[in-house]
């Protein structure tokens, strides 16, 4: 037998099994129906489902079903496993009772967008590969840039989340300022202790761990003290240092505080520093009148990040970076490779691959564009207005229960704690959080501000409405009545 005949025989044999990966239309319908049933069951039970549970997941037990074998299992077995072992224990971040960390919810229509992006396997990295997909993503960048107040020459990228968006912005800052290894020790970064740790992480990944971070104090509203920033930059320059980057918060994760962006931008531009604004939590409040006022000055930042999987309620997996001058983004991410030569032709628009570390990537635009296109902006705006008011509602109600609160919320996070007449306040409040988490109908998390344990109520899920906030208040009130030594008004 000639070699070619042998190859043909072998190919006929291999394709029998290889074709298993291409489901027939009737089989696809069966698979889809089962997954749809699963999703319906999940969503229909969601209003009553717990926001947190530790039940049903033995962390020490090894689950054989997780392992991958030579042959497969049935979808129904797989789905019942997922229900029990994957979508059960832990935070239920789809729940409207989820008010821990930073919620979002995960709107259903985004999943449909993901489904279409994945079924078509659209290549969204390069314009010539899918001009329509890249144009869709660029139109989302343009929309968000205009929302921030950028006017011309800006660019951006849809990332997997806020952390990667911060990384891209910080790498652009480094490239633009030409910070070389020998300069790291005198290249100074300014921010506050309430800045999200993904910024420090980004500095580390960008090789800037050796840059000193000069932490600026917070004022009584947990906002960066701009006078102190100005003084510090002045004295650092006088000592021959190179202040080059300041990171401000458009809503801190900790307490939702918005730094004085106008003042910071003035100091940054006077000193020729890169001004980065982390708006992962708060940025999309720009859709509201209140947010527009609070976030004034954001348009002066050299870079801004937003997290559509927070403020636009998308499922996890979408962040966004915007850079005021697209050339800075290009300079930090440009690439050349011979095997890419065909793809570089016919480029009427910038491609995500030129503006970010990624090449092949999920077509993220679809999950964001579809819901915005389907419903328009109004329900998003109304949701954000509702969250702002819910936070104020909670603020007054929790005060009335005798709790100390932080400042009046800038956006939709309220810090609070109870000070018992006797005993350790931190312990008392830790026990309250433990009680709420054990109850599980709502989920909240905590933080430390200096040495003080503070509980956070973070309202941002599109599924959180007044009844869930009332439920949280009810759980707290009952607990307080039982455990307080002082009388509660
Ligand atoms: C959530 C958050 C981040 C990190 O974003 P991920 O999407 O979790 O990676 C960064 N900054 C702030 C202010 C955040 O709230």
């Amino acid at each position: 037998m000639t070699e070619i005949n042998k190859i043909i025989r072998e190919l006929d044999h291999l394709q029998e099994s290889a074709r298993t990966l291409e489901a027939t239309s009737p089989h696809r319908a069966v698979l889809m129906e089962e997954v749809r049933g699963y999703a319906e069951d999940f969503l229909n039970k969601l209003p009553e489902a717990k926001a947190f549970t530790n039940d049903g997941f033995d962390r020490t037990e090894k689950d054989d079903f997780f392992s991958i074998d030579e042959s497969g299992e049935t979808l129904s077995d797989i789905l019942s496993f997922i229900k029990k072992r994957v979508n059960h224990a832990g935070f239920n971040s789809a729940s409207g009772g989820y008010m821990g960390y930073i919620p979002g919810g995960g709107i259903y229509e985004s999943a449909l967008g993901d489904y279409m992006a994945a079924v078509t396997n659209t290549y969204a990295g390069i314009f010539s590969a899918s001009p329509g997909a890249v144009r869709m993503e660029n139109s989302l960048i343009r929309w968000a840039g205009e929302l921030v107040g950028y006017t011309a020459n800006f660019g951006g990228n849809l990332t997997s989340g806020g952390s990667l968006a911060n990384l891209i912005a910080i790498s652009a800052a480094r490239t633009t300022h030409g910070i070389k290894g020998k300069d790291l020790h005198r290249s100074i970064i300014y921010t506050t202790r309430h800045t999200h740790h993904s910024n420090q992480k980004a500095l580390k990944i960008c090789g800037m761990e050796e840059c000193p971070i000069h932490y600026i104090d917070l004022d009584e509203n947990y906002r960066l003290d701009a006078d102190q920033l100005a003084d510090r930059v002045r004295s650092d320059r006088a000592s021959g240092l190179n202040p080059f980057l300041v990171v401000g918060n458009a809503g801190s994760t900790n307490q939702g505080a918005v730094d004085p962006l106008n003042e910071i931008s003035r100091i940054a531009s006077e000193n020729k520093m890169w001004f980065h604004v982390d708006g992962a939590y708060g940025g999309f409040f720009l859709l509201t009148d209140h947010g527009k006022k609070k976030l004034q000055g954001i348009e002066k930042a050299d870079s801004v990040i937003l997290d559509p999987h927070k403020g636009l309620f998308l499922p996890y997996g979408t962040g966004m970076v915007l850079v005021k001058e697209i050339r800075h983004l290009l300079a930090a991410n440009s690439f050349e490779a011979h095997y890419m030569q065909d793809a570089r032709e016919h480029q009427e628009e910038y491609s995500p691959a030129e503006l970010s570390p990624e090449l092949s990537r999920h077509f993220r635009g679809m999950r964001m564009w579809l819901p915005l296109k389907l419903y328009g902006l109004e329900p998003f705006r109304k949701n954000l207005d509702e969250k702002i008011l819910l936070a104020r509602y909670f603020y007054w109600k929790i005060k009335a229960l005798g709790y100390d609160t932080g400042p009046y919320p800038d956006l939709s996070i309220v810090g609070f704690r109870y000070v018992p007449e006797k005993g350790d306040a931190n312990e008392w409040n830790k026990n309250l959080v433990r009680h709420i988490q054990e109850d599980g109908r709502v989920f909240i998390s905590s933080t430390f501000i200096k040495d003080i344990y503070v509980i956070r109520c973070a309202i941002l899920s599109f599924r959180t409405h007044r009844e869930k906030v009332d439920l949280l208040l009810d759980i707290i009130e009952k607990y307080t009545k039982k455990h307080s030594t002082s009388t509660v008004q």
Side-chain angles (χ1 to χ4, degrees):
M1 205 181 346
T2 60
E3 183 175 356
I4 192 79
N5 285 335
K6 260 195 346 220
I7 291 176
I8 289 171
R9 244 199 23 220
E10 183 70 359
L11 284 174
D12 287 345
H13 175 67
L14 285 174
Q15 70 166 328
E16 265 176 51
S17 175
R19 282 178 186 275
T20 310
L21 296 186
E22 184 70 273
T24 61
S25 177
H27 187 44
R28 287 199 295 270
V30 171
L31 296 175
M32 192 66 197
E33 201 40 43
E34 281 194 63
V35 170
R36 207 183 69 85
Y38 183 92
E40 281 305 306
D41 183 58
F42 179 87
L43 291 173
N44 290 334
K45 289 182 176 152
L46 198 50
E48 310 307 323
K50 289 203 162 182
F52 176 74
T53 180
N54 245 331
D55 299 345
F57 197 91
D58 182 345
R59 284 160 206 270
T60 56
E61 186 193 325
K62 266 192 85 170
D63 238 315
D64 286 342
F65 204 93
F66 277 116
S67 68
I68 304 299
D69 298 315
E70 200 52 29
S71 49
E73 312 273 349
T74 66
L75 184 59
S76 62
D77 282 352
I78 293 170
L79 290 177
S80 49
F81 175 79
I82 292 174
K83 182 171 182 168
K84 228 173 60 219
R85 304 293 287 166
V86 182
N87 286 344
H88 182 66
F91 313 153
N92 184 351
S93 38
S95 161
Y98 184 79
M99 295 177 242
Y101 306 100
I102 307 284
I107 42 186
Y108 178 75
E109 292 75 3
S110 274
L112 301 180
D114 277 348
Y115 174 73
M116 287 191 289
V119 165
T120 56
N121 199 26
T122 303
Y123 194 93
I126 295 192
F127 183 74
S128 62
S130 180
V134 170
R135 191 155 284 176
M136 182 191 284
E137 293 204 353
N138 284 346
S139 74
L140 291 167
I141 298 291
R142 205 169 313 119
W143 167 71
E146 282 164 10
L147 182 67
V148 159
Y150 283 169
T151 46
N153 305 327
F154 65 88
N157 185 247
L158 286 179
T159 66
S160 57
S163 299
L164 266 287
N166 274 329
L167 177 66
I168 293 172
I170 281 170
S171 127
R174 177 174 185 167
T175 309
T176 306
H177 280 255
I179 308 293
K180 302 285 182 252
K182 64 177 173 38
D183 301 324
L184 292 174
H185 67 283
R186 53 179 291 275
S187 301
I188 316 296
I189 297 156
Y190 302 82
T191 194
T192 72
R193 297 261 177 212
H194 280 202
T195 292
H196 194 271
H197 70 276
S198 57
N199 289 283
Q200 282 96 329
K201 199 165 153 185
L203 290 167
K204 183 173 173 176
I205 297 169
C206 288
M208 291 196 283
E209 209 176 2
E210 290 162 57
C211 294
I213 301 178
H214 288 179
Y215 287 101
I216 303 302
D217 287 340
L218 298 158
D219 66 14
E220 69 284 1
N221 291 309
Y222 302 135
R223 303 174 191 144
L224 179 143
D225 179 340
D227 291 337
Q228 192 185 103
L229 173 68
D231 290 346
R232 197 75 204 269
V233 171
R234 199 177 308 119
S235 69
D236 285 347
R237 280 172 63 123
S239 339
L241 300 173
N242 174 34
F244 89 100
L245 170 64
V246 54
V247 179
N249 282 300
S252 65
T253 314
N254 219 8
Q255 295 291 295
V258 180
D259 288 334
L261 305 178
N262 269 320
E263 279 95 323
I264 300 174
S265 83
R266 190 178 41 74
I267 298 164
S269 78
E270 280 169 11
N271 292 282
K272 303 204 168 37
M273 298 161 74
W274 184 282
F275 177 29
H276 174 58
V277 171
D278 185 340
Y281 154 64
F284 280 110
F285 282 101
L286 284 166
L287 285 167
T288 68
D289 289 339
H290 171 73
K292 258 187 230 119
K293 270 190 232 122
K294 276 274 162 201
L295 273 60
Q296 269 174 28
I298 194 170
E299 72 285 355
K300 296 179 185 138
D302 295 290
S303 54
V304 173
I305 72 148
L306 305 164
D307 238 350
H309 65 206
K310 291 174 179 167
L312 286 183
F313 326 115
L314 303 196
Y316 293 123
T318 312
M320 188 187 257
V321 57
L322 298 165
V323 173
K324 192 173 207 160
E325 295 284 343
I326 194 169
R327 64 195 161 94
H328 295 322
L329 203 49
L330 270 171
N333 296 280
S334 54
F335 63 93
E336 289 297 339
H338 291 313
Y339 50 79
M340 295 301 297
Q341 62 199 17
D342 307 313
R344 304 294 302 266
E345 289 172 22
H346 315 294
Q347 280 259 58
E348 279 82 16
E349 296 202 20
Y350 288 112
S351 297
E354 299 172 280
L355 303 168
S356 80
E358 290 182 291
L359 178 57
S360 306
R361 60 200 271 288
H362 182 68
F363 174 23
R364 297 185 183 112
M366 191 70 127
R367 53 165 32 215
M368 179 171 169
W369 186 82
L370 182 68
L372 288 171
K373 198 71 189 163
L374 193 56
Y375 297 124
L377 289 175
E378 185 183 306
F380 290 89
R381 219 188 285 286
K382 292 278 150 75
N383 254 292
L384 290 164
D385 273 327
E386 183 193 23
K387 304 317 163 226
I388 293 166
L389 280 186
L390 283 174
R392 293 177 185 173
Y393 173 81
F394 181 82
Y395 175 86
W396 292 116
K397 287 278 193 178
I398 196 77
K399 262 189 188 308
L401 291 178
Y403 279 69
D404 279 357
T405 63
Y408 190 72
D410 272 351
L411 298 169
S412 70
I413 299 174
V414 181
F416 63 100
R417 71 197 286 258
Y418 192 73
V419 184
E421 251 174 28
K422 286 197 297 263
D424 183 67
N426 284 1
E427 278 310 309
W428 197 97
N429 288 283
K430 271 183 208 170
N431 286 334
L432 168 59
V433 168
R434 210 167 292 140
H435 171 77
I436 294 169
Q437 293 185 352
E438 271 162 22
D439 177 278
R441 286 174 294 165
V442 293
F443 179 81
I444 54 173
S445 58
S446 65
T447 184
F448 269 99
I449 297 181
K450 301 221 166 98
D451 293 332
I452 295 173
Y453 181 91
V454 174
I455 310 178
R456 298 165 69 257
C457 172
I459 302 175
L460 196 59
S461 168
F462 75 103
R463 292 197 177 102
T464 303
H465 307 292
R466 187 154 66 91
E467 61 184 18
K468 287 289 184 198
V469 176
D470 281 336
L471 175 60
L472 171 61
L473 286 161
D474 185 56
I475 296 169
I476 295 174
E477 182 172 9
K478 288 192 174 118
Y479 184 90
T480 315
K481 282 207 171 118
K482 212 162 134 197
H483 294 88
S484 68
T485 42
S486 57
T487 39
V488 176
Q489 308 91 352

